[in-house]
Amino acid sequence: DRLLLDLLQEDAARSNVALSELLKERKIELKAAACGNRKEKLRENGYIRRISAVLDHTKIGRPQMCFFVVNMVDQSDVALERFLATATAEPGITAIYETSGDWDFLLVGRVANMEGATSISKKLRMGICNVVTHAVTGFPKEPGVVLLAAQHP
């Protein structure tokens, strides 16, 4: 199952026949129908939460990735709800993580340029938090894939 999950993370659109052939190259005999059954079991058991497309951000006009680190100045429930409502509704924000340490949140954004990042940062502040914006300048390793087959059980 770990190798099957690795292959699905690389390309979830692969057919069951293609998956079967790739597994066979790795000395694992699993027919196409069995691959389909294993995928369905992995979905049913919650190992696969969803199947989605990975977009080319340059082609959709959002080539700049940014991190927004947020420190809530106002720690009230009302301020927190207001901040999260604003951040969640912002189309340029792709992920929101609540963190421990010096900062309360780490947000990931995709924008056309740094002016877009500045605009988001201003919307987030609302007088209730400090926001520091960091532009991503390179991608030595892209997010999203956790290889399982090489790990020890």
Side-chain angles (χ1 to χ4, degrees), residues 35-49:
C35 285
N37 292 338
R38 294 300 314 148
K39 283 190 328 190
E40 187 56 36
K41 274 283 190 214
L42 290 166
R43 274 192 209 103
E44 288 172 5
N45 292 328
Y47 289 92
I48 299 173
R49 291 188 347 214

Side-chain angles (χ1 to χ4, degrees), residues 41-67:
K41 274 283 190 214
L42 290 166
R43 274 192 209 103
E44 288 172 5
N45 292 328
Y47 289 92
I48 299 173
R49 291 188 347 214
R50 70 172 187 247
I51 306 289
S52 62
V54 178
L55 304 179
D56 182 314
H57 291 97
T58 300
K59 289 185 178 183
I60 63 168
R62 293 177 181 257
Q64 181 63 60
M65 183 181 210
C66 301
F67 295 115

Side-chain angles (χ1 to χ4, degrees), residues 115-127:
E115 289 80 18
T118 300
S119 173
I120 290 173
S121 183
K122 286 178 182 176
K123 287 178 194 174
L124 294 173
R125 282 193 189 104
M126 304 176 294

Side-chain angles (χ1 to χ4, degrees), residues 43-149:
R43 274 192 209 103
E44 288 172 5
N45 292 328
Y47 289 92
I48 299 173
R49 291 188 347 214
R50 70 172 187 247
I51 306 289
S52 62
V54 178
L55 304 179
D56 182 314
H57 291 97
T58 300
K59 289 185 178 183
I60 63 168
R62 293 177 181 257
Q64 181 63 60
M65 183 181 210
C66 301
F67 295 115
F68 302 92
V69 285
V70 178
N71 184 21
M72 298 298 294
V73 175
D74 182 345
Q75 295 284 333
S76 70
D77 289 344
V78 171
L80 182 60
E81 287 174 21
R82 192 169 138 215
F83 167 76
L84 288 173
T86 301
T88 302
E90 172 56 51
I93 300 295
T94 61
I96 302 170
Y97 302 98
E98 192 168 1
T99 64
S100 62
D102 294 336
W103 296 94
D104 298 308
F105 293 94
L106 171 67
L107 284 64
V108 181
R110 280 289 188 168
V111 293
N113 50 43
M114 285 311 293
E115 289 80 18
T118 300
S119 173
I120 290 173
S121 183
K122 286 178 182 176
K123 287 178 194 174
L124 294 173
R125 282 193 189 104
M126 304 176 294
I128 59 173
C129 63
N130 295 318
V131 179
V132 177
T133 305
H134 298 274
V136 174
T137 59
F139 298 94
K141 182 176 181 179
E142 296 247 18
V145 175
V146 178
L147 297 177
L148 301 170

